[in-house]
């Protein structure tokens, strides 16, 4: 299982509930308020829409729809993050934990919490000096890909 940011939470959740060969997490959040999650979702949704090449008019329309989304769904997601992070000790599969050193300090702290809490002895943690939150789009992408591939190649398949 491999996941970035909120996808990393899903990777951790699957790693807790299923017997997987390994888990890779990147930029995983830890105990965030729903209002903060709403801001992050909006920020990255707009950025993604820009990368897709959508017009500003189309982006504005889609962002208004997103901003009108009930916060209750994000409260449920916040609870999923909290429960998942509270149970990372259930992970016994090998794990590779990555974070961008240019991201908010919370994400390094979250990576360290996961590293300390997982039950497996097959665990690595690494920060990338030239990466922000969306590590797979940053300047360290080649190193990140090499490290993930090395981790995957060392797993038992």
């Amino acid at each position: 299982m491999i996941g970035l940011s909120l996808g990393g939470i899903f990777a951790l959740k699957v790693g807790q509930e299923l017997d997987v060969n390994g888990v890779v997490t990147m930029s995983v959040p830890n105990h965030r308020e729903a209002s903060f999650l709403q801001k992050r979702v909006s920020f990255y949704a707009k950025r993604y829409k820009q990368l897709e090449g959508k017009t500003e008019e189309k982006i504005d329309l889609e962002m208004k729809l997103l901003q009108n989304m009930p916060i209750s769904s994000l409260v449920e997601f916040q609870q999923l993050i909290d429960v998942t992070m509270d149970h990372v000790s259930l992970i016994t599969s090998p794990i590779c934990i990555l974070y961008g050193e240019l991201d908010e300090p919370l994400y390094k702290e979250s990576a360290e919490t996961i590293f300390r809490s997982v039950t497996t002895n097959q665990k690595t943690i690494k920060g990338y000096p030239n990466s922000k939150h969306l590590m797979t789009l940053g300047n360290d992408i080649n190193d990140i890909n090499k490290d993930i591939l090395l981790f995957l190649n060392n797993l038992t398949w």
Side-chain angles (χ1 to χ4, degrees):
M1 291 304 304
I2 300 175
L4 170 67
S5 190
L6 299 176
I9 291 293
F10 290 126
L12 290 171
K13 186 76 171 158
V14 171
Q16 291 169 9
E17 295 182 3
L18 300 175
D19 183 23
V20 296
N21 290 342
V23 177
V24 178
T25 64
M26 296 172 274
S27 305
V28 171
N30 186 12
H31 301 295
R32 299 311 295 246
E33 296 298 320
S35 59
F36 177 83
L37 292 174
Q38 187 176 36
K39 289 176 190 171
R40 292 290 277 206
V41 166
S42 292
F43 175 80
Y44 285 106
K46 183 172 184 173
R47 189 168 171 201
Y48 181 76
K49 291 172 187 303
Q50 290 168 335
L51 290 173
E52 285 184 316
K54 293 184 177 182
T55 66
E56 283 302 314
E57 183 178 286
K58 177 83 170 156
I59 291 171
D60 289 343
L61 177 66
E62 291 179 3
M63 292 306 296
K64 284 179 185 171
L65 294 173
L66 181 63
Q67 290 165 349
N68 290 330
M69 181 181 76
I71 197 157
S72 60
S73 59
L74 288 174
V75 169
E76 291 175 22
F77 201 64
Q78 172 204 355
Q79 292 168 348
L80 173 67
I81 292 170
D82 292 346
V83 167
T84 302
M85 291 300 291
D86 288 343
H87 293 94
V88 292
S89 63
L90 297 174
I91 296 176
T92 58
S93 300
I95 188 167
C96 176
I97 307 154
L98 311 176
Y99 63 92
E101 292 180 1
L102 299 177
D103 200 357
E104 292 180 47
L106 163 94
Y107 293 94
K108 179 181 180 184
E109 294 166 17
S110 179
E112 291 169 346
T113 297
I114 295 166
F115 185 81
R116 283 191 311 272
S117 301
V118 293
T119 305
T120 182
N121 290 330
Q122 293 176 277
K123 56 186 176 180
T124 58
I125 184 172
K126 185 173 180 181
Y128 293 85
N130 303 305
S131 292
K132 295 180 181 179
H133 188 70
L134 293 179
M135 302 171 61
T136 56
L137 300 177
N139 294 330
D140 292 317
I141 186 61
N142 290 331
D143 291 335
I144 292 167
N145 286 336
K146 286 177 191 172
D147 290 341
I148 291 172
L149 186 58
L150 178 65
F151 173 77
L152 294 175
N153 285 334
N154 286 319
L155 295 178
T156 303
W157 294 96

